[in-house]
Amino acid sequence: MSDYYDVFLSYRVKTDAGNARIVFYEFRADHDKNTKVFLDNVELKLGTQWKPQFLDALKNSRVCIPLISNAFIDKLELKEGDEDNVLLEWDTMLDRFHNGDCRIIPLFLKDGNVDLDITKADEALKDVKAKGCKRTARDIWNSFKEIQGRPIDLKDLNQVKLFVIQTQLLYLFNLMLHKQSI
């Protein structure tokens, strides 16, 4: 049987592993120890294939949080048919979102006073499909820009705590309103 998660954190390991850990550990802090969060380096089982595990976890998560940073955008070099697990996660999230199976809260990471460079992201996320994706990188990015996300400076722990509390309240509100898993 598959594990179910309240929150799935999606991020580029090369650029945002530390940022994902900050958000993960804030969810695990004193707010609500019952919130089950998927972070790959914590949840993936050693000695088994990792891709089916993260896709299964994603398909069984109620709230999906893609972390998008300038570092991610700066390092993105995508060509048609390239394998890109982050874009595969995002494409899968959008399928579930459009089916009403999950909520997506894009987390636009700031670095102090420097906001996410939307223009640079528009240029970097090209009109090419990564392997296994139904949508192009540009279509995925444009969909995320239409979903109410949250700019956040992870160096400001009060902002992180507020985001975590708001996410938990959204999840609980949806459970009460729909009396189902979202």
Side-chain angles (χ1 to χ4, degrees):
M1 183 168 173
S2 300
D3 286 332
Y4 286 85
Y5 295 92
D6 300 309
V7 176
F8 183 97
L9 297 176
S10 175
Y11 65 99
R12 173 82 65 210
V13 171
K14 194 183 311 182
T15 57
D16 291 308
N19 293 329
R21 279 192 299 276
I22 290 169
V23 176
F24 174 78
Y25 286 114
E26 191 55 43
F27 270 106
R28 300 285 293 266
D30 59 346
H31 308 295
D32 181 3
K33 295 200 186 298
N34 296 320
T35 302
K36 190 165 181 188
V37 180
F38 181 88
L39 181 70
D40 57 359
N41 69 1
V42 173
E43 294 293 325
L44 293 178
K45 294 166 184 68
L46 295 175
T48 60
Q49 293 183 331
W50 51 269
K51 187 181 272 187
Q53 287 182 70
F54 81 71
L55 286 173
D56 189 50
L58 177 57
K59 290 174 184 173
N60 291 298
S61 295
R62 294 172 176 94
V63 178
C64 299
I65 302 175
L67 278 68
I68 308 165
S69 69
N70 284 322
F72 166 78
I73 299 301
D74 289 343
K75 301 258 190 236
L76 189 62
E77 295 179 19
L78 185 63
K79 297 180 194 92
E80 188 74 31
D82 280 356
E83 190 153 343
D84 189 300
N85 294 325
V86 173
L87 291 176
L88 180 59
E89 288 173 3
W90 294 2
D91 192 52
T92 304
M93 279 178 204
L94 286 169
D95 283 345
R96 296 193 65 241
F97 176 77
H98 291 302
N99 288 334
D101 296 330
C102 75
R103 298 291 174 118
I104 297 175
I105 306 172
L107 202 52
F108 304 108
L109 304 182
K110 297 169 64 172
D111 189 10
N113 291 329
V114 179
D115 289 337
L116 182 70
D117 189 338
I118 301 296
T119 304
K120 193 179 242 184
D122 286 340
E123 294 167 3
L125 290 153
K126 300 177 182 177
D127 206 19
V128 297
K129 283 186 186 175
K131 184 177 179 182
C133 291
K134 296 176 186 169
R135 297 169 187 82
T136 66
R138 178 164 291 135
D139 290 340
I140 293 169
W141 173 241
N142 287 335
S143 293
F144 278 0
K145 290 191 303 184
E146 293 175 2
I147 298 171
Q148 181 61 49
R150 176 80 185 265
I152 191 168
D153 181 359
L154 293 179
K155 292 179 181 140
D156 183 343
L157 288 181
N158 287 327
Q159 283 187 31
V160 178
K161 288 178 186 185
L162 180 61
F163 171 75
V164 166
I165 292 168
Q166 289 171 332
T167 302
Q168 290 168 331
L169 289 174
L170 169 73
Y171 164 68
L172 291 172
F173 175 74
N174 277 297
L175 281 180
M176 290 181 346
L177 185 64
H178 301 292
K179 293 188 180 175
Q180 60 185 22
S181 62
I182 295 182

